[in-house]
Amino acid sequence: MNAELLNFTPLAVLIPFFGAGFAFAFYRNKSAQRAITIGALVLTVILEVTLLSQVWDGGAHAIHLGGWPAPFGIVMVIDRFSALMLLVSSIITLCVLLYAVGQGAAEEKDDSGPVSIFYPTYLILVAGVSNAFLAGDLFNLYVGFEIFLTASYVLLTLGGGESRIRAGVTYVVVSIVSSMLFLITIGMIYAATGTVNLADLALRLADLDPSTQLTLHVMLLVAFGIKAAVFPLAFWLPDSYPTAPAPVTAVFAGLLTKVGIYAMIRTETLLFPGERINTALMIVAALTMIVGILGALAQADIKRMLSFTLISHIGYLVFGLALSSIIGMAATIYYVAHHITIQTTLFLVTGLIERRSGTSNVLRLGGLAKISPVLGLLFFIPAMNLAGIPPFSGFVGKLGMMQGGIAENTWITWTLVIASVLTSLLTLMAVARIWTRGFWRKPEDADETPERQLMSKTLAHSRAANKRYLPMSMVAPTAALVAMSLAFSVFAGPLMDFSRAAAQDMYERTPYLEAVFGPERTEGVRDELEEFAATFLIDYELDDDGAAEHAPVETSLQPDDEDAEVLPEITDGDDR
């Protein structure tokens, strides 16, 4: 790990911010705006590839802004998990931007019109998300949330009609409520501990009264749960996201809810590790999965259906988080990166479907596989991935969570395993219905009168329409994300190893605390942290050959001395 290179971490936030300023300065020149925005995101991706390579083999690194030591100054912390989230989010936003440019969603004949602010607003959104992933204190995390939420308000209502403004009002009101709850909780935490630094809180929260800890814990999870669209706090999402243009909906659905999940993971691993509310989280996870997928099955519009599947698959992430085990957290880390990619891809494909056919209502669709085989392929791969069909990455992540639940072997985890399998089957049913109705049947067999754009007289006419409605500038970014989703499957082994190592670091907490305070400050609590990790972490060994690659790595807490007591290997039927 090269500390000098990691000192450039704040550029992940500064490059988009400065890019937004330059783009706004050229608001009358859309070509310059486009070049600045794409260039800023390309630089950000290159930077984050470098950062990920530096933390790949372990360790965390803290940057103390202004030279102020923690906990008094602002701290940015990068570790394996945050580096992965940074890179995936930047690749996603770059591809979505290229798609938007191709679609013309960011263009307008009048350069001084409201759409001229699309590019700077988009970069501000990226900067806010990156700031949230790097925040080393609760208030800076709050600032990151507010930055990208403010930008999202603009993007959601940009150039919209009545329906979009109405959905935007709902989104704004819900976001303000969650932000106010988060801010109130920050104030209460500061009053109780005298700090908002995450590393400092990890040391001080344990000294509080258990009832106070529980109150603060629940308030944080509720605030983050609203942002992550966890049931029953997800009522706002299906009515808000589908009204926006396809690129905006894609980046919102793929990315913004995952920032809430990221905050929940940090809360459960760094601030309040333990099993106090795991049962409640598992119940919430099961309800989120089942209610979300049942809502998806009731939809005829593809965008609304995907919005409900987004909610249901948030339940998988909460399930992995609630297991409080290395294998569960490893699967969660892997699955969150996978789901960002898949959900974004499917919304972009839906935009292509709507552009080619004139509608996203499956009752009026038909014949898309014959009209545009490429469009059929772009939909089929991420759809099967979303449903968790092997050997795709969706199957790998879900399998890891279910293995963790089976290994824990309690009634609630078995309930979650059954709910996970049921949700996957119902997800397959939902996407299969889109495939059979929208792609496989003939347009004249549609339940309602099909769009004229689907009634191509000749093959030549169909190809000409494809060239017009499906430009390569839109298809190529979508195909790139499909390829990225396949890469998660091809490199599932190394990525799961990486995820397990990241999960181990987060639960042990020592790497994070040493990065922020240095070994001197943590020396006095090292033994306490290691004792907690040794007794709390569940490191299941699975004998099943198919699960070998998902077995958690051995931790540094296990004895290296040959004379030390060695725990017996756990086999099927044994109980630790």
Side-chain angles (χ1 to χ4, degrees):
M1 183 172 65
N2 190 328
E4 292 184 359
L5 286 176
L6 291 175
N7 285 333
F8 290 101
T9 297
L11 290 178
V13 179
L14 294 178
I15 290 175
F17 259 133
F18 283 114
F22 281 114
F24 188 74
F26 289 91
Y27 73 96
R28 293 185 181 276
N29 188 335
K30 58 188 178 185
S31 297
Q33 279 195 327
R34 181 169 57 243
I36 291 170
T37 306
I38 294 174
L41 288 181
V42 169
L43 286 176
T44 304
V45 169
I46 293 173
L47 170 70
E48 290 165 357
V49 168
T50 304
L51 296 177
L52 181 61
S53 68
Q54 294 304 308
V55 299
W56 184 274
D57 293 324
H61 183 75
I63 298 90
H64 303 268
L65 302 185
W68 288 89
F72 307 107
I74 298 175
V75 179
M76 287 187 170
V77 184
I78 184 168
D79 57 6
R80 286 184 174 103
F81 184 35
S82 59
L84 177 65
M85 295 295 287
L86 280 173
L87 180 58
V88 171
S89 65
S90 292
I91 293 175
I92 291 298
T93 51
L94 176 59
C95 290
V96 171
L97 176 66
L98 296 175
Y99 180 102
V101 170
Q103 184 187 34
E107 311 289 352
E108 192 176 71
K109 292 182 180 179
D110 181 9
D111 294 344
S112 62
V115 185
S116 63
I117 66 172
F118 174 86
Y119 291 114
T121 305
Y122 192 82
L123 285 176
I124 290 173
L125 177 82
V126 174
V129 170
S130 298
N131 187 75
F133 289 148
L134 294 171
D137 63 81
L138 286 176
F139 190 76
N140 199 28
L141 178 62
Y142 170 80
V143 170
F145 274 125
E146 291 308 295
I147 290 172
F148 75 72
L149 286 175
T150 302
S152 67
Y153 303 155
V154 178
L155 293 174
L156 187 63
T157 58
L158 196 62
E162 180 180 350
S163 61
R164 192 176 299 175
I165 297 298
R166 186 185 305 113
V169 169
T170 302
Y171 178 75
V172 169
V173 171
V174 172
S175 298
I176 290 176
V177 169
S178 66
S179 295
M180 288 301 298
L181 178 59
F182 185 22
L183 189 60
I184 291 170
T185 308
I186 291 174
M188 294 174 63
I189 290 175
Y190 185 78
T193 63
T195 184
V196 293
N197 181 278
L198 293 176
D200 206 22
L201 286 172
L203 301 175
R204 297 192 184 192
L205 284 171
D207 297 331
L208 297 180
D209 180 80
S211 60
T212 303
Q213 289 187 50
L214 182 61
T215 300
L216 298 176
H217 190 178
V218 171
M219 289 181 69
L220 280 179
L221 288 182
V222 171
F224 298 147
I226 295 174
K227 298 179 186 299
V230 173
F231 180 85
L233 307 173
F235 61 91
W236 56 272
L237 191 148
D239 292 327
S240 299
Y241 284 5
T243 61
V248 174
T249 303
V251 76
F252 281 18
L255 191 56
L256 296 194
T257 52
K258 307 308 183 299
V259 183
I261 289 292
Y262 175 87
M264 291 178 67
I265 291 174
R266 289 297 187 192
T267 299
E268 292 301 297
T269 57
L270 185 62
L271 302 184
F272 298 100
E275 301 178 343
R276 179 178 299 178
I277 64 170
N278 280 5
T279 299
L281 285 176
M282 289 185 184
I283 293 173
V284 168
L287 291 174
T288 303
M289 285 190 279
I290 298 301
V291 173
I293 197 59
L294 291 179
L297 290 172
Q299 306 305 313
D301 185 85
I302 299 177
K303 290 187 289 186
R304 285 187 61 84
M305 186 276 289
L306 290 177
S307 296
F308 277 100
T309 61
L310 167 62
I311 295 172
S312 70
H313 284 70
I314 292 294
Y316 281 102
L317 301 175
V318 179
F319 173 29
L321 174 63
L323 286 174
S324 293
S325 66
I326 296 225
I327 186 173
M329 181 55 65
T332 301
I333 293 172
Y334 177 85
Y335 198 79
V336 70
H338 144 86
H339 195 250
I340 289 173
T341 307
I342 292 301
Q343 201 72 44
T344 303
T345 305
L346 284 171
F347 271 103
L348 293 185
V349 174
T350 303
L352 294 176
I353 293 173
E354 191 171 27
R355 185 177 176 88
R356 178 61 183 86
S357 64
T359 184
S360 59
N361 190 322
V362 294
L363 301 179
R364 304 179 64 184
L365 291 175
L368 284 173
K370 180 179 180 180
I371 293 172
S372 178
V374 172
L375 185 57
L377 184 64
L378 291 178
F379 174 81
F380 182 81
I381 293 176
M384 294 299 101
N385 211 331
L386 182 70
I389 302 301
F392 292 119
S393 55
F395 171 77
V396 176
K398 292 175 183 178
L399 179 64
M401 296 175 197
M402 288 188 283
Q403 286 174 343
I406 293 171
E408 192 165 324
N409 197 26
T410 64
W411 71 270
I412 187 68
T413 57
W414 274 104
T415 302
L416 262 294
V417 170
I418 295 171
S420 299
V421 174
L422 179 61
T423 301
S424 284
L425 293 175
L426 294 179
T427 302
L428 179 60
M429 181 186 298
V431 297
R433 186 176 65 174
I434 297 175
W435 176 260
T436 55
R437 294 186 178 185
F439 289 86
W440 206 244
R441 69 180 175 183
K442 297 179 180 180
E444 52 267 27
D445 294 335
D447 299 331
E448 298 180 3
T449 304
E451 293 291 331
R452 288 184 298 172
Q453 292 173 205
L454 296 175
M455 308 301 289
S456 300
K457 300 297 183 182
T458 64
L459 181 60
H461 182 272
S462 177
R463 289 176 176 173
N466 288 340
K467 185 176 294 187
R468 175 184 176 186
Y469 293 115
L470 302 176
M472 185 56 63
S473 56
M474 295 176 65
V475 173
T478 308
L481 290 183
V482 172
M484 181 175 170
S485 70
L486 292 176
F488 279 109
S489 304
V490 173
F491 301 103
L495 288 173
M496 280 299 295
D497 289 339
F498 174 85
S499 299
R500 285 196 298 270
Q504 176 183 316
D505 286 347
M506 287 194 293
Y507 275 125
E508 289 185 357
R509 298 190 291 173
T510 307
Y512 191 100
L513 299 182
E514 287 188 348
V516 175
F517 291 125
E520 298 81 8
R521 171 74 185 275
T522 57
E523 191 64 35
V525 295
R526 175 183 291 276
D527 293 341
E528 179 182 345
L529 292 173
E530 292 186 352
E531 181 182 357
F532 173 84
T535 56
F536 165 66
L537 288 186
I538 305 171
D539 223 5
Y540 296 112
E541 298 288 347
L542 303 174
D543 285 341
D544 181 63
D545 293 337
E549 68 176 5
H550 304 295
V553 297
E554 293 185 355
T555 71
S556 59
L557 302 176
Q558 293 172 332
D560 295 327
D561 189 351
E562 294 181 357
D563 297 328
E565 180 182 358
V566 180
L567 293 176
E569 182 181 357
I570 292 178
T571 57
D572 293 341
D574 292 338
D575 187 18
R576 177 170 294 184

